[in-house]
Amino acid sequence: MEKVIDINYFELFTGYALMLIPVLALWYYKTGLVKDTLIATARMTVQLLLVGLYLEYIFKLNSIAVNIGWVVLMTVIASYTIVNRSNLKFKLFFIPVVLSGIISIAITDAYFLGFVVKLDNVFDARYFIPVTGMLLGNTIKNVVIALDAFYKRIDDEETYYRWHLANGATKKEALLPFMRDALRVAFNPMIATTAIMGLISLPGMMTGQILGGSNPNIAVKYQIMLLITIFSSAVLNVVLTIFFSNKFAFDAYDNLRKDIFRK
Amino acid sequence: MHALQIYIKNLMHANYFSLFLFFSGIIIFLCTHTDIIMIEISHLNLNFKNEIIFDNFSLLINKGEKVAVIGESGKGKTTFLNLLAGFIPDYSGNVSIFGHELNAENISEIRKHNAWLPQDISLSVKTVRELFFEPFEFTLNRDLKPSSESVSQIFSEFDLSENLLNKKTNEISGGQKQRIILASCLLLKKPLLLVDEPTSALDEKIKQKITDYILKQKKLTVIAATHDDYWIKSSDKVIEL
């Protein structure tokens, strides 16, 4: 195995110069996203450096309770990010998003780690935490897009939704075209990326494993399985989030509540 | 009170045949009377967007009646139709449709008997065929899917070419879209049709043809919010808001 070239902290710092490109572009086009970009970059740096420190500790500890607690905490933070990024009210959507996150992670993690990788202990910190992190990290964008697309389109095309309801559709039937569109909008880019994987882009995890000295063959197999797991976890998460939030986003007459949106 | 006492006394002395006739009369009266009512509204109070739309409003609409709801813009014509379709839950008073009180419990049952045509449907681009047949995909309406003959017939009545079915919804005019959705609603064969400005995007000749076609459906109760003089003249009842 070849020696891995470490990046020292000075080199890491010089790497940040690349951020000038997005920051200047976002500033020039007056997107109002410069502050958010800087905060996000700072958060990412601090969080990852801290993760490096406490993952080392958690891996050594490897307690099932701590690992599960850690994953639940990650899901709560991911759900917080999802609802904050969406145009929907936090107090209404936070719980359904957390619930959907936990269920989808539990199902896909159990299948991948227990059935495919066949770990003796599916809660082994070295697998359970990074895999769940990958699943959550890759799901956030899809859930935000799907949630926003679903509820915004019902609001924009309310007469169309009502036309269904008033002409004999059940609520589920009336919502079907909106669900279909939300899934299309959220997953079309993921399908496109999956289709060109390996041709144009080399996925981050696989690259990381190879850079870390792993056999490319093993790295590829893990990457394939992770992409599939991420895809199913994301779809499950979106479907469950919409399913749970449906229960309160409509009034007793099946009309969309207007107070679910942030002003 | 005295009269009631005499009446009960007489009733007690009446023979069984008279009693049979008396109660049969009451039952027949109730059956025939309640059976002809489609919509009963009493003491309706409704505020919408901080404006009083209805203040102690009462109305009776019989089955098969053709009702034109008229009034200036903003007076609540669309709101009235939306109320009957269950889209405005915050009202006080009594509204009963097909004998069911309009409330959250009964709304699904009431909607099973409705067809509703809004003034304009904002929708994503799809084919006209998908739009036209969409209501027949619902479980409730699957058995009502029209035959190609029925589609041809109604398209001909509405001066529509069947080639339109292959176009996209953004390739047809507002008037064509309105007629296509109206035709789809009529083929659902529901007893109550709620229509909002059904002829607003149509020219005079087609307007009259479509008005005649809809208003000649004897069993169909039609409530239309409209500004159209010909529709108003052809209706059985006019409600001014």
Side-chain angles (χ1 to χ4, degrees):
Chain A
M1 194 185 287
E2 283 182 41
K3 192 172 172 267
V4 180
I5 303 168
D6 193 9
I7 303 174
N8 68 36
Y9 284 104
F10 176 72
E11 286 158 349
L12 194 68
F13 181 73
T14 53
Y16 278 89
L18 277 175
M19 279 308 290
L20 279 173
I21 297 169
V23 167
L24 284 174
L26 295 173
W27 168 78
Y28 181 79
Y29 290 106
K30 295 185 173 62
T31 57
L33 290 175
V34 173
K35 194 180 157 196
D36 281 357
T37 308
L38 292 175
I39 292 173
T41 312
R43 265 184 63 172
M44 177 269 289
T45 308
V46 173
Q47 285 157 197
L48 286 180
L49 289 174
L50 284 176
V51 162
L53 290 176
Y54 47 64
L55 275 190
E56 210 176 324
Y57 174 74
I58 286 175
F59 283 4
K60 262 186 212 160
L61 189 69
N62 205 12
S63 137
I64 290 179
V66 171
N67 295 349
I68 291 175
W70 184 249
V71 162
V72 170
L73 181 68
M74 288 199 316
T75 313
V76 169
I77 295 169
S79 306
Y80 174 84
T81 312
I82 288 169
V83 186
N84 246 1
R85 276 274 156 201
S86 78
N87 193 30
L88 301 160
K89 272 197 185 153
F90 187 84
K91 65 175 183 180
L92 291 172
F93 282 83
F94 182 62
I95 300 292
V97 172
V98 172
L99 204 60
S100 314
I102 289 174
I103 295 172
S104 55
I105 287 297
I107 292 172
T108 44
D109 260 357
Y111 189 83
F112 176 56
L113 299 176
F115 193 69
V116 179
V117 183
K118 291 193 176 63
L119 289 179
D120 290 335
N121 172 18
V122 287
F123 301 110
D124 187 340
R126 193 161 285 279
Y127 289 86
F128 184 47
I129 292 173
V131 166
T132 308
M134 292 274 297
L135 296 185
L136 285 171
N138 285 281
T139 300
I140 289 174
K141 192 172 68 188
N142 300 94
V143 181
V144 172
I145 294 172
L147 263 182
D148 267 348
F150 183 72
Y151 286 109
K152 190 175 179 305
R153 231 199 100 199
I154 298 173
D155 192 40
D156 289 347
E157 298 180 8
E158 196 173 33
T159 48
Y160 179 55
Y161 168 66
R162 287 177 166 185
W163 182 59
H164 282 189
L165 276 185
N167 289 295
T170 59
K171 180 179 159 195
K172 193 178 157 195
E173 287 169 330
L175 290 175
L176 195 63
F178 300 97
M179 184 68 178
R180 200 179 288 143
D181 264 30
L183 286 172
R184 275 187 192 140
V185 172
F187 291 103
N188 249 340
M190 199 181 221
I191 294 166
T193 316
T194 307
I196 55 148
M197 196 61 76
L199 291 177
I200 299 169
S201 64
L202 283 181
M205 191 219 79
M206 191 179 97
T207 312
Q209 266 189 308
I210 294 169
L211 286 175
S214 282
N215 179 332
N217 222 1
I218 297 173
V220 164
K221 283 191 267 183
Y222 265 91
Q223 187 61 54
I224 291 170
M225 279 329 300
L226 265 172
L227 285 171
I228 288 170
T229 312
I230 287 168
F231 204 157
S232 36
S233 173
V235 172
L236 189 60
N237 200 340
V238 164
V239 171
L240 287 176
T241 303
I242 292 178
F243 176 77
F244 289 138
S245 59
N246 263 349
K247 306 287 172 203
F248 59 82
F250 296 83
D251 67 17
Y253 289 68
D254 295 336
N255 298 306
L256 182 69
R257 280 171 55 182
K258 300 293 176 189
D259 62 346
I260 61 164
F261 297 104
R262 260 188 266 169
K263 282 174 187 163
Chain B
M1 200 62 195
H2 182 65
L4 186 67
Q5 279 171 343
I6 293 172
Y7 178 73
I8 292 169
K9 201 176 164 188
N10 286 340
L11 203 62
M12 287 174 79
H13 284 96
N15 62 32
Y16 288 119
F17 184 67
S18 311
L19 282 174
F20 172 75
L21 286 180
F22 174 74
F23 285 114
S24 304
I26 288 177
I27 290 164
I28 290 167
F29 172 78
L30 287 175
C31 287
T32 50
H33 190 68
T34 51
D35 198 41
I36 59 166
I37 297 170
M38 175 62 87
I39 295 172
E40 192 172 4
I41 298 172
S42 57
H43 310 295
L44 173 68
N45 293 299
L46 174 67
N47 289 6
F48 191 67
K49 292 182 178 168
N50 298 325
E51 282 206 28
I52 298 170
I53 307 289
F54 294 107
D55 183 15
N56 204 21
F57 176 78
S58 295
L59 173 73
L60 209 62
I61 296 172
N62 291 329
K63 284 182 180 170
E65 258 188 323
K66 313 294 183 276
V67 180
V69 184
I70 62 167
E72 291 166 27
S73 295
K75 285 284 181 186
K77 300 188 295 295
T78 299
T79 307
F80 181 59
L81 294 181
N82 285 344
L83 170 84
L84 296 178
F87 299 130
I88 301 177
D90 299 322
Y91 70 90
S92 69
N94 293 311
V95 178
S96 155
I97 305 174
F98 316 104
H100 297 288
E101 196 183 330
L102 181 64
N103 57 28
E105 273 173 36
N106 296 332
I107 190 62
S108 304
E109 187 57 35
I110 289 172
R111 282 180 182 150
K112 283 180 187 171
H113 306 284
N114 279 355
W116 178 74
L117 175 78
Q119 190 172 0
D120 184 35
I121 295 186
S122 50
L123 50 100
S124 306
V125 176
K126 51 172 69 191
T127 67
V128 174
R129 186 182 300 280
E130 281 173 317
L131 177 67
F132 181 78
F133 286 105
E134 207 159 21
F136 303 98
E137 301 294 324
F138 308 146
T139 315
L140 180 74
N141 303 331
R142 260 178 216 155
D143 295 340
L144 301 167
K145 196 164 185 174
S147 61
S148 50
E149 290 79 28
S150 309
V151 176
S152 302
Q153 195 196 342
I154 202 158
F155 267 55
S156 141
E157 292 280 358
F158 282 22
D159 271 359
L160 291 165
S161 156
E162 281 184 68
N163 291 334
L164 287 177
L165 287 170
N166 301 320
K167 292 198 171 186
K168 292 270 173 69
T169 48
N170 62 342
E171 293 169 347
I172 60 171
S173 71
Q176 285 171 325
K177 193 165 88 177
Q178 198 172 32
R179 275 178 283 163
I180 281 162
I181 298 173
L182 187 54
S184 175
C185 284
L186 283 168
L187 287 175
L188 287 172
K189 295 186 168 46
K190 300 292 169 80
L192 175 62
L193 177 67
L194 306 169
V195 277
D196 197 353
E197 302 288 359
T199 53
S200 60
L202 309 179
D203 63 43
E204 281 306 320
K205 195 180 144 204
I206 303 172
K207 244 182 211 183
Q208 294 196 2
K209 198 173 175 188
I210 287 180
T211 307
D212 290 340
Y213 182 85
I214 294 173
L215 298 186
K216 82 177 178 196
Q217 314 280 325
K218 280 192 177 168
K219 286 185 179 172
L220 182 67
T221 308
V222 183
I223 304 176
T226 184
H227 284 106
D228 180 22
D229 288 337
Y230 186 73
W231 189 295
I232 296 167
K233 272 183 212 159
S234 310
S235 299
D236 301 323
K237 192 181 269 181
V238 177
I239 302 167
E240 187 165 4
L241 299 180

